[in-house]
């Protein structure tokens, strides 16, 4: 049984990410240990739990310690029998994709096109390719802090519209994605969120606009909106705010969607990458 003293948290980079060793996510977790984990998570935004043996139930139960779990609009990629576990995979089962093959190959914060976007996602690597398939994480507290004062002033109080531009993703070369059902389409109204959000637990400010899902800043003419977004994204995705996660088999990576963007990278098609994701509900950004 794990206890507080057996947990080792080691930073993976100065900007984001820490690995947790000596931890079994399937096992019991005392309130005090959980509090220690949460503090480390708030400090590092990304926690990498090494060498996990998660069953789908184990992953869902551990994730549910953080909050209620969410399914996904692309319900065809949920693990059969589990309505809260999304499969990311390039495997085929009877010629059909076993999971979402091209998730998140653009900078984004998960599901920011909903009014109440998820707090966190936990991605568990069952099979990883020997090369490629890294995940990039960009610290949006740091991105905000790096803005010049006049830019901070300019964006104070601004809001932006977020949309799931499924058609564009689907049209991209090599995507095996199917068109959305009418029911899925109906869930895609989009959402409006502050350009700078305050993390409800740390109280820190973070940029909250992404090339993947943010389509416009409210109340600005289109050309101004676009040039302002591009300027903000240059800070949001600048090399000095990025941690690159190179996966090890059985890593389970918990990231905070309220202070990070992330970006999947490609890998050679002859290799398999197979992962399970759980998604933890959040609160309305402010
Ligand atoms: C996700 C995602 C990145 C990756 O699961 O939300 O963006 O590297 N995944 O698979
Ligand atoms: Mn994602």
């Amino acid at each position: 049984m794990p206890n507080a003293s057996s947990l080792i948290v080691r930073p993976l980079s100065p900007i984001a990410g820490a690995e947790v060793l000596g931890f079994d996510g399937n096992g019991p977790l005392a309130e005090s240990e959980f509090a220690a984990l949460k503090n480390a998570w708030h400090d590092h935004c990304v926690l990498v739990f090494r060498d996990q043996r998660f069953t789908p139930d184990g992953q869902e139960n551990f994730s549910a310690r953080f909050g209620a779990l969410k399914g996904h609009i692309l319900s065809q990629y949920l693990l059969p029998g589990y309505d809260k576990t999304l499969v990311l995979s390039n495997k085929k089962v009877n010629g059909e994709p076993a999971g979402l093959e091209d998730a998140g190959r653009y900078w984004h914060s998960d599901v920011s096109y909903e009014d109440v976007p998820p707090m966190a996602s936990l991605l568990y690597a069952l099979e990883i390719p020997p090369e490629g398939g890294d995940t990039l994480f960009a610290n949006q507290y740091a991105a905000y802090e790096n803005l010049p004062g006049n830019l901070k002033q300019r964006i104070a109080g601004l809001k932006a519209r977020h949309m799931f531009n499924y058609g564009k993703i689907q049209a991209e070369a090599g995507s095996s994605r199917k068109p959305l059902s009418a029911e899925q389409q109906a869930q895609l109204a989009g959402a409006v969120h502050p350009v700078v959000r305050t993390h409800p637990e740390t109280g820190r400010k973070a940029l909250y606009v992404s090339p993947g899902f943010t389509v416009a800043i409210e109340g600005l003419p289109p050309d101004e909106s676009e040039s302002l977004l591009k300027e903000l994204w240059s800070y949001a995705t600048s090399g000095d705010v990025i941690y690159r996660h190179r996966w090890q088999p059985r890593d389970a990576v918990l990231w905070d969607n309220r202070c990070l963007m992330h970006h999947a990278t490609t890998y050679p098609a002859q290799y398999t990458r197979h992962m399970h994701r759980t998604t933890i509900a959040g609160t309305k950004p402010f």
Side-chain angles (χ1 to χ4, degrees), residues 15 107 137-138 146 233-244:
I15 195 70
W107 283 110
F137 293 95
N146 288 344
W233 292 335
S234 73
Y235 290 90
T237 64
S238 151
D240 59 351
V241 302
I242 294 174
Y243 161 65
R244 173 182 283 263

Side-chain angles (χ1 to χ4, degrees), residues 13-285:
S13 89
I15 195 70
E19 60 181 351
V20 181
L21 307 170
F23 175 75
D24 173 9
N26 281 324
L29 182 63
E31 221 24 77
S32 59
E33 293 170 323
F34 183 63
L37 274 184
K38 247 186 154 174
N39 283 339
W41 186 48
H42 290 149
D43 287 345
H44 300 282
C45 301
V46 182
L47 284 187
V48 178
F49 300 95
R50 298 287 192 196
D51 200 28
Q52 295 305 299
R53 309 279 153 165
F54 274 132
T55 59
D57 288 310
Q59 182 175 347
E60 289 195 355
N61 290 339
F62 175 59
S63 307
R65 289 294 292 267
F66 292 84
L69 302 187
K70 286 169 67 85
H72 197 274
I73 179 172
L74 302 177
S75 48
Q76 64 269 40
Y77 300 121
L78 292 171
L79 184 68
Y82 290 85
D83 64 354
K84 302 289 189 289
T85 298
L86 183 71
V87 181
L88 268 59
S89 182
N90 63 337
K91 281 190 188 175
K92 297 270 193 302
V93 176
N94 303 325
E96 290 293 318
L100 189 55
E101 189 175 346
D102 58 350
R105 290 185 179 168
Y106 40 81
W107 283 110
H108 66 288
S109 172
D110 284 332
V111 199
S112 69
Y113 46 82
E114 288 184 359
D115 270 335
V116 184
M119 158 203 312
S121 307
L122 179 70
L123 189 58
Y124 176 48
L126 292 146
E127 279 180 72
I128 55 162
E131 56 182 276
D134 298 343
T135 307
L136 310 179
F137 293 95
N139 184 326
Q140 299 303 295
Y141 294 136
Y144 177 72
E145 281 153 22
N146 288 344
L147 299 178
N150 59 347
L151 192 48
K152 280 187 186 155
Q153 273 167 19
R154 185 168 168 217
I155 62 175
L158 289 183
K159 295 188 177 221
R161 176 161 294 278
H162 296 237
M163 298 281 280
F164 188 19
N165 198 343
Y166 188 83
K168 179 167 159 257
I169 299 167
Q170 195 196 13
E172 266 156 24
S175 175
S176 60
R177 295 189 186 207
K178 298 220 168 82
L180 294 180
S181 67
E183 196 193 326
Q184 287 170 327
Q185 282 287 356
Q187 292 175 51
L188 291 183
V192 171
H193 298 302
V195 168
V196 179
R197 73 180 290 188
T198 302
H199 192 292
E201 289 173 86
T202 66
R204 297 178 67 192
K205 286 182 176 178
L207 263 187
Y208 194 61
V209 284
S210 73
F213 297 143
T214 309
V215 292
I217 297 190
E218 296 274 286
L220 292 187
D223 53 339
E224 253 183 69
S225 162
E226 200 170 313
S227 66
L228 181 52
L229 282 173
K230 285 200 172 129
E231 192 176 0
L232 295 174
W233 292 335
S234 73
Y235 290 90
T237 64
S238 151
D240 59 351
V241 302
I242 294 174
Y243 161 65
R244 173 182 283 263
H245 185 62
R246 296 182 174 85
W247 292 85
Q248 294 177 17
R250 295 185 301 279
D251 276 353
V253 176
L254 177 74
W255 67 80
D256 190 332
N257 285 305
R258 302 165 294 186
C259 51
L260 293 166
M261 290 202 291
H262 59 282
H263 190 308
T265 64
T266 57
Y267 52 91
Q270 71 264 33
Y271 300 129
T272 300
R273 189 177 190 265
H274 190 77
M275 309 206 163
H276 284 173
R277 186 182 104 186
T278 40
T279 310
I280 301 146
T283 49
K284 197 169 164 55

